[in-house]
Amino acid sequence: MPTAAEELADRAKFVRTETVRLTRIAGAGHYSAVFSCAELLAVLYYHQLRVDPRRPDWPERDRFVLSKGHAAIGLYPVLADLGYFDPSELDTYTRLGSPFGDHPDMKKIPGVDFSSGSLGHGLSVSVGMALAARMSTLDYRTYCMLGDGELAEGQVWEAAMSARHFGLGNLVAIVDANQLGIDGFVRDVMPAEPIEERFAAFGWQTHRVDGHDIKALLDVFAALPDSDGRVPQLIVAETVKGKGVQRMELSPDWHVGNLVGTDYDDVMAELRHEEVR
Amino acid sequence: MGQDQSEIFNGLKDARSVDGTDTRAIPAFVFGEELADLAEHDPRIVVLTADLGRSNRALDFAARHPGRFVNVGIAEKNMVTIAAGMASCGHLPFAATFGSFAALLCAEQIRTDCAYPDLPVRIVGHHSGMSMGFYGTSHHSLEDLGMMRTIADLTVVCATDANHLRALLRLSLHHPHAMYLRLGRGRDPEVYDTVPDLRVGQAQTVRDGSNLTIIATGSEVHPALRAAEILAERGVSARVVDMWTISPLDRDAVLDAANTTGAILTVEEGNLTGGLGTAVAEVLFDADARVPFRRHGVPDEHVPVGPPAGLYAHYRLDAPGIVAVAEELLTTSEGDAT
C-alpha cells in the first residue's frame, strides 16, 4: 500500500509524462514550466483543493487560477484524470477547434476556473474571487499559481497591495520559483527575490518550501491559517525549471521545445523509470 | 457633497455643455444613485472604482451599499481584472474610472479578462471625449470608441443624458456580455425627457427629416439636435439618429438613412480614426451605398489645452459648427450632382 506522498509523487510523474506525450501531438510546447510545478499541481488537485469534478460550477468549490497559463498542458491531464472530461479528448490538443490550446480557456474546459495566458493578471482575478467569497459569505479559498518571472509585471503588486487591504485571508498565492524565464535566469533578467520580503512588506504572511518535496508541500498547506483570517498567504515554492529530465533542468533552451525520435523515447523512459532526483 | 464641491472635484469650473448651455441646473451624475436603486433589488450588483468615487458619484452607491463597494485606489488594471474575477463568481460588477484610463490603460484587461471569457463586467469610462478640457491629453478620451469596438464579445454603448444613462444601466442588468459604457461628464443637457426603452443594436431616431441624417453619439446628440433646428429654419430637413449602440452598430438605421434621406453626417467627440464615423463608413461601403457622406469629429491629433466649450467650438463640434459642416456636405454633394 503506497503512502499518500508516494501516490502524489506518482501523480506528478503522470503530469510530466502526459506533458511529453501531448507536446508530441502539438509538435512543440512548454515542457519545463510544467515540470517545475508538477508536484504542486499534484498536491493541489489530489489533496488540497475542495473541488467536485461532477459539479465543475459548484459555487462553494475552491478556486484555482493558473496565472502562469503556459503550464496548462500539465493541468489538462489532471482535470481529465479527475473526471472533468474524457481523457481521450486530450488527444485533440492544439488541433483546429480543440478546447485545449497552449493556455487554459474557462469557457471550453470544465474545471478551469479562469482563462489565462497574459502574465500578471491572475492574482487580480484571484483577489476578485476572494472578494466575491467574502460578499457571498462563502468559505471557499482561492489559490493562484504564479511564476517568479511573472512577478516583474506591475499588476501583480497592485493585486498584492489590495489583497491585504481587503483582508483576504482566503487567498493563497503560490509562486513557482523555477528561476528561469524565456531569456535566461530571472535573477539576471529582472530579479524577483527577495520574494517573501516583498510580499511581507505588502502585509502578507509568507512560507517557503522545496516545491518538489511532497511531504514538505503537504506540511505547508496544512499549516495555513483558517480562511476567515485577514492576512493573505504566500507560498514560495523553490523549484527547478525542467525538473525530472536532466537535459531540461535549468536550461533556457527548453522553455518551448520539441522532442523527436529517440530523444522522445529516452525522455519518456527517464520520466517513467527514474525517481525524481 | 454640495454642488460647488463636486465641481471642484470634477475639475471643471467651466459649467457649460458642448453647445454652451449653462449646465449648473442639470442634475449631477446619476450613475451611483441609479445603481444604488437597482442594487436594492439585484444582489449581484457591485461597484468598483479607482480613487474616483467622488468624480463618478460611485460614493452615492457606497453610502447605501458599503459592503458592495470596492475602491482599489489608483490601480485601474487591478480594478478591471478584480471585476472579472468577481463576475466569474456570479457578481455583476460595474468598474468605473475616467474613459482614457479605462479604455487605454486597461485595454488588455478588458479584452483578455472580460471579453474573452465572455463575463458580464461593465467597464464604465466616464468624462469621455474632451470633457476634461484643460486637463490635457492624458485625461482626454478620444481613442476609446475606436479601440473598444475592435474587441470581440464586447458591447460598446454611449450615454446621451441622465435618463439615457438610467436606461443603459437598467438594460445592462440583463445583458450577458461584457460592456464598455461611455459616459460624458454627467452634465449633458436633456435629450430624453423620460427613461427610454433601449435595445442593444437598435439606435434611437430622435428627430425625423428628409434631406440629411446626422448620426451622433453621446454628448454630441444634443448639439446635433440643435443643429437640426437651425437647419430647419434654413429649409433643410435633417434626421437625427442617436447611435448610442456602437458595437453592435445599428446597420439598418444607417442603411435606412442612406435610402430615405441620402446624405449622412456622423458626429462624434472622438478621434476620427476608428470611431463612430469609421463604423458607419464600413456599413455604407459594405452595402455599396453611395451617398454623400462626411465624418465629423476630432482630427488625428492631440487637442490643445482649453475649457471644454472652447474645445468644442474649436473643432466645430457645437451646434453652429455642426450646421456649418452639414451645409458644406450638402453644398459639395449638390456640386457633385451637377
mmCIF file of all heavy atoms in Angstrom, chain B residues 14 16-20 130 133 185 306-314 318:
data_model
loop_
_atom_site.group_PDB
_atom_site.id
_atom_site.type_symbol
_atom_site.label_atom_id
_atom_site.label_comp_id
_atom_site.label_asym_id
_atom_site.label_seq_id
_atom_site.Cartn_x
_atom_site.Cartn_y
_atom_site.Cartn_z
ATOM 1 N N ASP B 14 -15.645 75.365 -15.835
ATOM 2 C CA ASP B 14 -16.499 75.722 -16.959
ATOM 3 C C ASP B 14 -17.715 74.799 -16.932
ATOM 4 O O ASP B 14 -17.618 73.604 -17.225
ATOM 5 C CB ASP B 14 -15.730 75.537 -18.258
ATOM 6 C CG ASP B 14 -16.553 75.928 -19.469
ATOM 7 O OD1 ASP B 14 -17.770 76.126 -19.314
ATOM 8 O OD2 ASP B 14 -15.974 76.027 -20.553
ATOM 9 N N ARG B 16 -20.346 74.862 -18.786
ATOM 10 C CA ARG B 16 -21.161 74.863 -19.986
ATOM 11 C C ARG B 16 -21.059 73.524 -20.716
ATOM 12 O O ARG B 16 -20.041 72.845 -20.654
ATOM 13 C CB ARG B 16 -20.721 75.998 -20.920
ATOM 14 C CG ARG B 16 -21.180 77.362 -20.458
ATOM 15 C CD ARG B 16 -20.657 78.446 -21.372
ATOM 16 N NE ARG B 16 -19.194 78.516 -21.298
ATOM 17 C CZ ARG B 16 -18.447 79.153 -22.201
ATOM 18 N NH1 ARG B 16 -19.014 79.734 -23.225
ATOM 19 N NH2 ARG B 16 -17.137 79.201 -22.070
ATOM 20 N N SER B 17 -22.141 73.149 -21.398
ATOM 21 C CA SER B 17 -22.142 71.900 -22.148
ATOM 22 C C SER B 17 -21.481 72.130 -23.505
ATOM 23 O O SER B 17 -20.942 73.201 -23.776
ATOM 24 C CB SER B 17 -23.574 71.411 -22.342
ATOM 25 O OG SER B 17 -24.233 72.246 -23.268
ATOM 26 N N VAL B 18 -21.534 71.107 -24.341
ATOM 27 C CA VAL B 18 -20.903 71.165 -25.660
ATOM 28 C C VAL B 18 -21.301 72.440 -26.393
ATOM 29 O O VAL B 18 -20.470 73.134 -26.970
ATOM 30 C CB VAL B 18 -21.327 69.936 -26.485
ATOM 31 C CG1 VAL B 18 -20.786 70.054 -27.905
ATOM 32 C CG2 VAL B 18 -20.838 68.669 -25.818
ATOM 33 N N ASP B 19 -22.599 72.746 -26.379
ATOM 34 C CA ASP B 19 -23.068 73.869 -27.181
ATOM 35 C C ASP B 19 -23.320 75.123 -26.349
ATOM 36 O O ASP B 19 -24.116 75.972 -26.710
ATOM 37 C CB ASP B 19 -24.317 73.481 -27.974
ATOM 38 C CG ASP B 19 -25.331 72.781 -27.107
ATOM 39 O OD1 ASP B 19 -24.987 72.477 -25.953
ATOM 40 O OD2 ASP B 19 -26.447 72.545 -27.573
ATOM 41 N N GLY B 20 -22.632 75.206 -25.206
ATOM 42 C CA GLY B 20 -22.659 76.445 -24.462
ATOM 43 C C GLY B 20 -23.777 76.582 -23.453
ATOM 44 O O GLY B 20 -23.862 77.582 -22.745
ATOM 45 N N MET B 130 -13.488 65.212 -24.838
ATOM 46 C CA MET B 130 -12.672 66.357 -24.406
ATOM 47 C C MET B 130 -13.254 67.019 -23.168
ATOM 48 O O MET B 130 -12.883 68.147 -22.837
ATOM 49 C CB MET B 130 -12.595 67.392 -25.536
ATOM 50 C CG MET B 130 -11.967 66.850 -26.801
ATOM 51 S SD MET B 130 -11.920 68.083 -28.133
ATOM 52 C CE MET B 130 -13.664 68.238 -28.521
ATOM 53 N N GLY B 133 -11.310 68.945 -20.706
ATOM 54 C CA GLY B 133 -10.814 70.259 -21.120
ATOM 55 C C GLY B 133 -9.336 70.476 -20.889
ATOM 56 O O GLY B 133 -8.490 69.775 -21.436
ATOM 57 N N ARG B 185 -19.514 63.760 -18.870
ATOM 58 C CA ARG B 185 -19.141 64.231 -17.534
ATOM 59 C C ARG B 185 -20.366 64.356 -16.640
ATOM 60 O O ARG B 185 -20.308 64.914 -15.545
ATOM 61 C CB ARG B 185 -18.407 65.570 -17.630
ATOM 62 C CG ARG B 185 -19.188 66.623 -18.380
ATOM 63 C CD ARG B 185 -18.336 67.848 -18.632
ATOM 64 N NE ARG B 185 -18.586 68.870 -17.646
ATOM 65 C CZ ARG B 185 -18.558 70.184 -17.915
ATOM 66 N NH1 ARG B 185 -18.266 70.592 -19.147
ATOM 67 N NH2 ARG B 185 -18.796 71.063 -16.994
ATOM 68 N N GLY B 306 -7.621 73.781 -23.125
ATOM 69 C CA GLY B 306 -8.666 74.806 -23.131
ATOM 70 C C GLY B 306 -9.881 74.329 -22.380
ATOM 71 O O GLY B 306 -10.005 73.130 -22.091
ATOM 72 N N PRO B 307 -10.782 75.235 -22.031
ATOM 73 C CA PRO B 307 -12.025 74.802 -21.387
ATOM 74 C C PRO B 307 -12.836 73.988 -22.393
ATOM 75 O O PRO B 307 -12.735 74.211 -23.595
ATOM 76 C CB PRO B 307 -12.725 76.120 -21.045
ATOM 77 C CG PRO B 307 -12.152 77.127 -21.984
ATOM 78 C CD PRO B 307 -10.738 76.690 -22.259
ATOM 79 N N PRO B 308 -13.660 73.026 -21.907
ATOM 80 C CA PRO B 308 -14.374 72.144 -22.831
ATOM 81 C C PRO B 308 -15.139 72.905 -23.906
ATOM 82 O O PRO B 308 -14.989 72.600 -25.102
ATOM 83 C CB PRO B 308 -15.315 71.374 -21.909
ATOM 84 C CG PRO B 308 -14.616 71.355 -20.593
ATOM 85 C CD PRO B 308 -13.896 72.668 -20.504
ATOM 86 N N ALA B 309 -15.937 73.899 -23.506
ATOM 87 C CA ALA B 309 -16.755 74.588 -24.512
ATOM 88 C C ALA B 309 -15.875 75.229 -25.582
ATOM 89 O O ALA B 309 -16.241 75.262 -26.760
ATOM 90 C CB ALA B 309 -17.640 75.633 -23.843
ATOM 91 N N GLY B 310 -14.706 75.716 -25.167
ATOM 92 C CA GLY B 310 -13.784 76.295 -26.133
ATOM 93 C C GLY B 310 -13.281 75.253 -27.115
ATOM 94 O O GLY B 310 -13.144 75.518 -28.313
ATOM 95 N N LEU B 311 -13.022 74.061 -26.617
ATOM 96 C CA LEU B 311 -12.537 72.991 -27.494
ATOM 97 C C LEU B 311 -13.624 72.559 -28.475
ATOM 98 O O LEU B 311 -13.347 72.306 -29.649
ATOM 99 C CB LEU B 311 -12.076 71.793 -26.650
ATOM 100 C CG LEU B 311 -10.814 72.045 -25.813
ATOM 101 C CD1 LEU B 311 -10.552 70.866 -24.876
ATOM 102 C CD2 LEU B 311 -9.606 72.279 -26.720
ATOM 103 N N TYR B 312 -14.870 72.462 -27.973
ATOM 104 C CA TYR B 312 -15.956 72.053 -28.877
ATOM 105 C C TYR B 312 -16.106 73.078 -30.003
ATOM 106 O O TYR B 312 -16.313 72.721 -31.159
ATOM 107 C CB TYR B 312 -17.273 71.895 -28.105
ATOM 108 C CG TYR B 312 -17.226 70.801 -27.065
ATOM 109 C CD1 TYR B 312 -17.517 71.059 -25.724
ATOM 110 C CD2 TYR B 312 -16.877 69.504 -27.419
ATOM 111 C CE1 TYR B 312 -17.454 70.057 -24.776
ATOM 112 C CE2 TYR B 312 -16.813 68.492 -26.477
ATOM 113 C CZ TYR B 312 -17.096 68.780 -25.147
ATOM 114 O OH TYR B 312 -17.032 67.791 -24.209
ATOM 115 N N ALA B 313 -16.011 74.361 -29.660
ATOM 116 C CA ALA B 313 -16.131 75.394 -30.691
ATOM 117 C C ALA B 313 -14.957 75.301 -31.663
ATOM 118 O O ALA B 313 -15.119 75.400 -32.877
ATOM 119 C CB ALA B 313 -16.186 76.770 -30.034
ATOM 120 N N HIS B 314 -13.760 75.083 -31.110
ATOM 121 C CA HIS B 314 -12.550 74.980 -31.933
ATOM 122 C C HIS B 314 -12.701 73.893 -33.002
ATOM 123 O O HIS B 314 -12.274 74.067 -34.146
ATOM 124 C CB HIS B 314 -11.358 74.676 -31.020
ATOM 125 C CG HIS B 314 -10.063 74.451 -31.741
ATOM 126 N ND1 HIS B 314 -9.317 75.484 -32.281
ATOM 127 C CD2 HIS B 314 -9.387 73.308 -32.032
ATOM 128 C CE1 HIS B 314 -8.230 74.980 -32.854
ATOM 129 N NE2 HIS B 314 -8.258 73.662 -32.712
ATOM 130 N N ASP B 318 -19.850 72.055 -31.690
ATOM 131 C CA ASP B 318 -21.049 72.647 -31.097
ATOM 132 C C ASP B 318 -22.103 72.793 -32.204
ATOM 133 O O ASP B 318 -21.840 72.493 -33.376
ATOM 134 C CB ASP B 318 -20.719 73.991 -30.446
ATOM 135 C CG ASP B 318 -19.992 74.944 -31.388
ATOM 136 O OD1 ASP B 318 -19.788 74.580 -32.581
ATOM 137 O OD2 ASP B 318 -19.608 76.037 -30.943
#
